[in-house]
Amino acid sequence: MLIRHKNKQGIKPSEITPEADFLNRREFIKQSGLFATALCTSSLLSSPASASSEYANDFSDVIKTPYGQGEKLNSFRDATTYNNFYEFGTSKTDPFENAQDFVTDPWSVEITGEAAKTGTYHLEDILGKVQLEERIYRFRCVEGWSMVVPWTGFSLADLLKRFEPNSRAKYVAFETLYDPQQMPGQKRRVLDWPYREGLRMDEAMNPLSFMAVGLYGHEMPNQNGAPIRLLVPWKYGFKSIKSIVKISFTEQQPVSTWNVSAPHEYGFYSNVNPDVDHPRWSQATERRLGANFWEPKIDTQLFNGYAEQVAHLYKGMDLKKYF
Ligand SMILES: Nc1nc2c(c(=O)[nH]1)N[C@H]1C(S)=C(S)[C@@H](COP(=O)(O)O)O[C@H]1N2
Ligand SMILES: [Mo]
């Protein structure tokens, strides 16, 4: 169950997962998930989701949090049929159509770089030790649409601390799986694969940074980045990298895929900022997914409305230069 390769002085399985809950969350999730999916997919797809108590839960031991309570949620359908996941194609419906057979179990994540406890960890290994939470986050794509959905996951900081990053660890880099057999979009060089993203250490350690394994109480749909993806809700959506297989602690600012593909359009920071336009369009407003055509656009907020929690990270920085 706990498959670990190349982890000589790393964390012992016993330190990570108590023997007892070893037969593990994902198995449990899977079994109850079958049921839940059969019962719920059709109703979730056909009706807009409303109160968070109205959807089923595939997970056990999830703490409900105050994040985003009271916000109007998007529907399950919006969040799972209009996606950006270029590994499965570049149109918005491609991920939903092409990712259904994507195999995400077994899954492991390699931890490398400036940390005491590096190695490759089976996903169960990681999930066995974290406290799952549900958080409702606003999510704003750089293209100008946004959504509000409840995610299940855990604090990125809690995960990273366990690997004991050292004083040279100034940044954290993430990588998506590279597997053109399974990810047909990778057969074309639309991006420099594998998809990569990065955060400054203090950004990664901010309590808002979140590793998600589900949405609407369901195990993460493949098109949304199964089995594990990042969420950085004060930054444009492309920072929220999907289907992560590698996390590295680095001294230098890591490469990020969109920055490499168009450096003048996508910076390393990519904080949501209505005052810094994309060179080809304004970022002042956004369209909420699912909104009717007569509804007005929403004013985009600095740091996507999370300024109180994150503005201090950028004190003294010129946000037009470090966009
Ligand atoms: N690996 C990978 N991660 C990715 C992307 C991608 O193409 N590949 N697209 C990004 C972009 S541009 C957005 S807006 C969000 C979309 O997340 P969602 O489909 O769950 O809404 O995923 C981000 N993460
Ligand atoms: Mo995006």
Side-chain angles (χ1 to χ4, degrees), residues 288-310:
R288 197 46 61 81
L289 290 189
N292 293 306
F293 70 89
W294 61 82
E295 292 178 67
K297 286 199 170 183
I298 298 168
D299 287 336
T300 290
Q301 300 176 72
L302 180 60
F303 301 119
N304 205 22
Y306 297 101
E308 213 172 292
Q309 291 95 319
V310 301

Side-chain angles (χ1 to χ4, degrees), residues 48-80:
S50 41
S52 54
S53 58
E54 281 177 32
Y55 48 84
N57 211 324
D58 295 350
F59 299 94
S60 53
D61 300 329
V62 180
I63 294 180
K64 298 265 177 193
T65 65
Y67 290 96
Q69 289 300 327
E71 294 226 40
K72 188 167 177 274
L73 301 182
N74 274 101
S75 67
F76 181 81
R77 180 203 278 271
D78 289 338
T80 59

Side-chain angles (χ1 to χ4, degrees), residues 153-208:
F154 53 91
S155 150
L156 175 62
D158 288 352
L159 176 70
L160 297 184
K161 280 177 201 152
R162 280 168 39 209
F163 305 117
E164 299 176 16
N166 63 41
S167 60
R168 286 182 301 276
K170 302 282 193 306
Y171 296 88
V172 189
F174 302 86
E175 264 182 45
T176 296
L177 180 69
Y178 179 71
D179 185 353
Q181 290 308 315
Q182 288 207 79
M183 296 173 139
Q186 290 176 333
K187 289 178 180 153
R188 295 174 47 216
R189 293 189 48 102
V190 281
L191 288 173
D192 184 19
W193 312 112
Y195 195 102
R196 282 163 295 171
E197 259 309 336
L199 296 171
R200 217 170 54 193
M201 199 59 159
D202 58 346
E203 298 179 317
M205 291 298 182
N206 185 275
L208 280 180

Side-chain angles (χ1 to χ4, degrees), residues 78-79 82-87 89 95 139-143 145 147 151 175-177 183 191 193 195-196 215 220 223-225 229-231 236-243 258 289:
D78 289 338
Y82 187 94
N83 299 99
N84 274 335
F85 199 170
Y86 277 21
E87 284 84 342
F139 186 92
R140 166 67 155 83
C141 175
V142 74
E143 295 162 345
W145 53 268
M147 63 181 186
W151 303 92
E175 264 182 45
T176 296
L177 180 69
M183 296 173 139
L191 288 173
W193 312 112
Y195 195 102
R196 282 163 295 171
L215 103 189
M220 190 67 77
Q223 62 270 31
N224 292 89
R229 60 93 55 92
L230 181 66
L231 285 173
Y236 290 119
F238 64 86
K239 298 295 285 186
S240 292
I241 181 172
K242 296 176 168 181
S243 305
W258 282 101
L289 290 189

